[in-house]
Amino acid sequence: SGDASALEALEALGPGVEVRDVAARVETRTADQLAATSDWAPDVKIETSFYNPRTGTNIATVRPSKLQRRRHQINSLAVSAAERELELLEKRNQSLKTKAQTQAKYGW
């Protein structure tokens, strides 16, 4: 219904627009396939709690602050290590060839 109305709108634009063929195509992809084909990367979230001396309470944070990164506190190191691990896994997955790609290389 949405595609049909879009087609009608294109045809109504006038003689300068010619619609030759419209094909319905639905692709189903897994989350791994979507992640491999896009620049999207999951955020690394490591929750840590810190004591705030001003308020006297504990504060739970997910991302390290600038000061925590500068002082190399353990939560900032853990987040950077997890981010690097994700980057390495992505590089490894991109470098691995499928069986069909390897066979095509040798003409099997």
Side-chain angles (χ1 to χ4, degrees):
S1 63
D3 293 335
S5 62
L7 178 62
E8 292 171 1
L10 282 174
E11 290 174 343
L13 288 176
V17 176
E18 180 181 339
V19 179
R20 293 185 180 182
D21 189 319
V22 177
R25 186 177 80 186
V26 176
E27 295 180 12
T28 56
R29 296 182 184 179
T30 64
D32 294 333
Q33 291 171 336
L34 286 174
T37 59
S38 68
D39 294 334
W40 173 82
D43 289 333
V44 175
K45 294 182 180 178
I46 299 175
E47 185 173 330
T48 55
S49 61
F50 295 96
Y51 179 74
N52 186 353
R54 291 183 187 158
T55 61
T57 60
N58 284 338
I59 299 173
T61 61
V62 178
R63 302 296 292 179
S65 67
K66 187 185 263 186
L67 180 66
Q68 291 166 347
R69 284 192 303 267
R70 190 173 68 225
R71 292 185 177 176
H72 302 291
Q73 290 185 357
I74 192 70
N75 70 320
S76 67
L77 295 174
V79 168
S80 64
E83 287 173 348
R84 285 189 197 128
E85 182 181 9
L86 281 176
E87 289 174 10
L88 288 174
L89 287 174
E90 288 175 10
K91 285 181 183 178
R92 181 176 179 265
N93 287 337
Q94 289 175 358
S95 68
L96 291 177
K97 293 184 178 181
T98 63
K99 197 173 194 179
Q101 289 172 330
T102 304
Q103 290 176 353
K105 179 179 176 182
Y106 297 106
W108 293 338

